[in-house]
Amino acid sequence: MSDATAKSAAPLDEVMLAMDVVDTLRHQQGLATRELDTAAKEAQLISKLRDIYHQQGIEVPDHILKEGVAALQESRFAYDAPEPSFGVTLAKLYVGRKQWGKPVLAIVGAVLAVMIGYFGVWQPYQAGQAEQARIELAEGLPAQMDALYETIFEETKVQQAVVDAEALRTRGQTFAAEGDRAAAEAAVADLTTLRDQLRQEYTLRVVNRPDEQSGFWTFPEINTDATNYYLVVEALDTDGDAISLPILNEENGQTETVAKWGVRVPESVYEAVVADKQDDGIIQSNEIGRKSYGFVDVEYNVPVSGGAVTRW
């Protein structure tokens, strides 16, 4: 072998050269198939391979060419895809991890976040809320009822308020023991209303303004032969400011919170007020009742019939 040939072949080892020969045969598959299928001598194929490499300026020893031809026939350097299996699938997944890794990690992270949020935050929060509600129903609301009852007992000046408060407390605490939260809270609200009612102070006066009615009369629908007389009144607190109160309308049975309403009075009281206003346009004695601290109801200065209306 010449010096030039040695220099050309020197950088490649025999295995690499044999692999290159196989690769050349694959690219020249027609040549290899034709020669071998016609049972041509191996020397002829090697000669043609030698010419191919020679044209590329590469001198390849004959034994390497023979090794390459033998390797092609034996499929020594050929790659045979492995049969499908669980291990092969795992290997493919590992190789392609850059493609599916980030989306899968994102999904896993989202699922973990949801699970942590639900089991680590939401469920404990719900459990805490339920326990707090249970304690409030079992202890908090009954304690509020007791406190309201004691306040009413101490501040009222009428026995009926104590009786009503006791009934509300007993009923409310029974509901609380039964787990009926809405009914227990309603009892607390009723006790609160009774306490606030006891604390109210106001005077009940007939509306005494030139541009407003001070009274009126109507024929009740259930008895058109009768006549009902009403004085239009308003409640003024200790500072002289008008306040709104819940008033039961006897005509429709509904309670409305209003600043003015009609109090039903006997005809004689109505006529006296009318005469007082017609005298000089001013009702001299326009205070008809007073609600004092510690009392539930208004103490009237004039006879009343016990009914009221909120619309006329």
Side-chain angles (χ1 to χ4, degrees):
M1 183 179 296
S2 64
D3 292 341
T5 302
K7 290 180 181 178
S8 300
L12 302 174
D13 60 22
E14 293 185 357
V15 175
M16 295 297 294
L17 282 171
M19 292 177 65
D20 188 72
V21 170
V22 173
D23 188 61
T24 300
L25 287 170
R26 287 202 184 100
H27 284 83
Q28 302 289 334
Q29 190 64 34
L31 172 64
T33 302
R34 183 173 64 251
E35 293 298 335
L36 296 176
D37 289 350
T38 58
K41 292 181 179 180
E42 184 179 294
Q44 293 176 337
L45 179 57
I46 292 173
S47 177
K48 291 182 180 182
L49 284 170
R50 188 185 302 111
D51 291 340
I52 291 172
Y53 279 103
H54 182 73
Q55 290 172 6
Q56 298 175 11
I58 302 173
E59 297 298 333
V60 181
D62 287 350
H63 73 278
I64 297 299
L65 295 175
K66 291 179 181 181
E67 182 70 19
V69 172
L72 178 64
Q73 291 176 316
E74 297 171 3
S75 300
R76 191 182 307 166
F77 299 117
Y79 170 75
D80 294 326
E83 294 294 327
S85 67
F86 180 70
V88 171
T89 301
L90 290 179
K92 289 181 178 180
L93 288 174
Y94 179 77
V95 171
R97 64 188 181 279
K98 288 187 177 180
Q99 296 180 348
W100 57 260
K102 290 183 179 180
V104 170
L105 285 176
I107 293 173
V108 171
V111 172
L112 286 175
V114 171
M115 293 179 66
I116 291 172
Y118 180 77
F119 293 104
V121 179
W122 178 247
Q123 278 197 338
Y125 171 77
Q126 288 290 89
Q129 291 291 98
E131 179 62 14
Q132 182 178 352
R134 186 195 67 78
I135 293 174
E136 184 179 5
L137 185 58
E139 302 175 11
L141 291 176
Q144 289 184 51
M145 297 175 201
D146 287 336
L148 286 165
Y149 173 80
E150 291 299 327
T151 299
I152 292 169
F153 182 85
E154 292 173 0
E155 296 184 6
T156 187
K157 296 178 180 179
V158 289
Q159 184 62 29
Q160 187 59 45
V162 176
V163 173
D164 293 343
E166 176 63 28
L168 287 171
R169 181 179 69 168
T170 301
R171 185 166 67 251
Q173 291 184 344
T174 299
F175 286 135
E178 294 174 350
D180 191 339
R181 184 184 184 86
E185 290 178 339
V188 171
D190 290 340
L191 283 165
T192 302
T193 298
L194 179 57
R195 181 204 62 189
D196 294 343
Q197 187 176 2
L198 287 171
R199 291 176 173 179
Q200 284 181 324
E201 293 183 86
Y202 59 84
T203 58
L204 205 60
R205 298 185 182 183
V206 178
V207 172
N208 191 14
R209 290 182 283 274
D211 58 342
E212 294 186 47
Q213 284 181 285
S214 297
F216 59 91
W217 52 267
T218 64
F219 297 116
E221 294 182 1
I222 59 175
N223 183 8
T224 55
D225 292 333
T227 303
N228 288 339
Y229 296 91
Y230 296 92
L231 295 178
V232 179
V233 299
E234 59 186 352
L236 303 179
D237 62 18
T238 54
D239 295 326
D241 298 323
I243 59 176
S244 296
L245 296 172
I247 304 299
L248 175 63
N249 189 328
E250 65 178 354
E251 292 183 343
N252 57 23
Q254 296 181 353
T255 298
E256 295 181 70
T257 300
V258 292
K260 292 185 296 184
W261 64 97
V263 173
R264 183 153 55 91
V265 296
E267 181 180 3
S268 59
V269 175
Y270 175 81
E271 294 295 344
V273 172
V274 170
D276 190 358
K277 189 170 184 178
Q278 288 178 344
D279 181 38
D280 55 4
I282 299 174
I283 303 174
Q284 305 298 329
S285 301
N286 67 332
E287 181 180 314
I288 66 167
R290 179 179 293 272
K291 164 65 175 68
S292 301
Y293 183 92
F295 290 87
V296 177
D297 300 317
V298 175
E299 184 179 358
Y300 287 96
N301 302 329
V302 298
V304 295
S305 302
V309 293
T310 55
R311 300 174 185 273
W312 57 88

